[in-house]
């Protein structure tokens, strides 16, 4: 008889805790639905939640060489990427590029993983620019350091 009473009480308590757990789950589900509704309302109102949450997102670290595609170089004709160059040598190379005939302007970006020089030149091809640069920059790089050259792009590794 005692076993029967204990068993009945066990089922009653187990049933009550299941009901409580279901109630908690229902409340959490209601809160999530309200949050979804508020989010969709904000998105319809112009993406306000995305704008607010965008402040708190972690920014990605961007490699300088990876930011060199032609679409980001409005007004530039040639991109020179240099791996393993010091800031001092990058400045010297940039000055040598500026001294080349036909070069209108340059913009350099330094990074330990890969630096770039963006070159706007009025006339001449990328090959002409490289030929002129090799003559003035022998102390910085030679033919063996050139990893690649194509129209609009020169790759150098030191």
């Amino acid at each position: 008889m005692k076993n029967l009473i204990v068993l009945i009480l066990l089922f009653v308590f187990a049933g009550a805790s299941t009901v409580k757990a279901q109630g908690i789950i229902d409340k959490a589900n209601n809160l999530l639905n309200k949050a979804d509704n508020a989010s969709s309302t904000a998105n319809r109102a112009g993406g306000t939640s995305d704008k607010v949450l965008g402040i708190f997102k972690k920014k990605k670290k961007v490699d300088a060489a990876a930011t060199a595609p032609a679409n980001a170089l409005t007004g530039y004709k040639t991109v020179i990427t240099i791996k393993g160059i010091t800031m001092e040598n990058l400045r010297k190379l940039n000055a040598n590029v500026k001294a080349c005939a036909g070069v209108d302007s340059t913009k350099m970006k330094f990074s330990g993983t890969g630096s770039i020089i963006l070159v706007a030149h009025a006339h001449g091809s990328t090959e002409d620019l490289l030929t002129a640069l090799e003559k003035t920059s022998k102390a910085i790089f030679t033919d063996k350091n050139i990893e690649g050259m194509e129209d609009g792009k020169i790759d150098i590794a030191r």
Side-chain angles (χ1 to χ4, degrees):
M1 186 70 164
K2 286 182 181 179
N3 289 340
L4 183 62
I5 293 173
V6 170
L7 190 60
I8 291 172
L9 289 176
L10 182 65
F11 280 121
V12 169
F13 288 126
S17 62
T18 304
V19 170
K20 286 182 183 179
Q22 185 62 41
I24 292 171
I25 292 172
D26 288 341
K27 287 179 183 178
N29 196 15
N30 286 339
L31 285 174
L32 288 174
N33 287 339
K34 287 179 183 179
D36 285 342
N37 290 340
S39 175
S40 63
T41 302
N43 286 338
R44 282 181 291 200
T48 307
S49 66
D50 291 339
K51 292 176 186 174
V52 171
L53 292 176
I55 295 171
F56 300 108
K57 289 184 181 176
K58 186 174 181 179
K59 297 190 188 251
K60 295 180 181 178
K61 187 175 180 180
V62 178
D63 183 20
T67 60
N71 60 1
L73 307 176
T74 307
Y76 290 91
K77 285 187 147 186
T78 301
V79 179
I80 303 171
T81 59
I82 311 104
K83 294 178 187 169
I85 194 168
T86 64
M87 185 63 173
E88 178 184 3
N89 283 335
L90 181 65
R91 286 184 179 139
K92 288 178 186 176
L93 184 60
N94 189 47
N96 292 345
V97 171
K98 284 182 181 180
C100 291
V103 173
D104 294 330
S105 65
T106 65
K107 183 176 181 180
M108 66 178 195
K109 295 181 181 181
F110 178 75
S111 172
T113 57
S115 301
I116 58 175
I117 298 176
L118 310 172
V119 185
H121 45 100
H123 55 63
S125 66
T126 300
E127 186 176 356
D128 297 335
L129 178 65
L130 179 59
T131 303
L133 196 55
E134 284 180 311
K135 293 177 185 175
T136 61
S137 303
K138 289 180 183 177
I140 300 172
F141 73 95
T142 61
D143 278 342
K144 67 179 181 178
N145 299 107
I146 299 172
E147 289 191 330
M149 194 224 28
E150 59 186 68
D151 191 31
K153 188 173 181 183
I154 300 170
D155 295 319
I156 301 170
R158 293 222 9 159

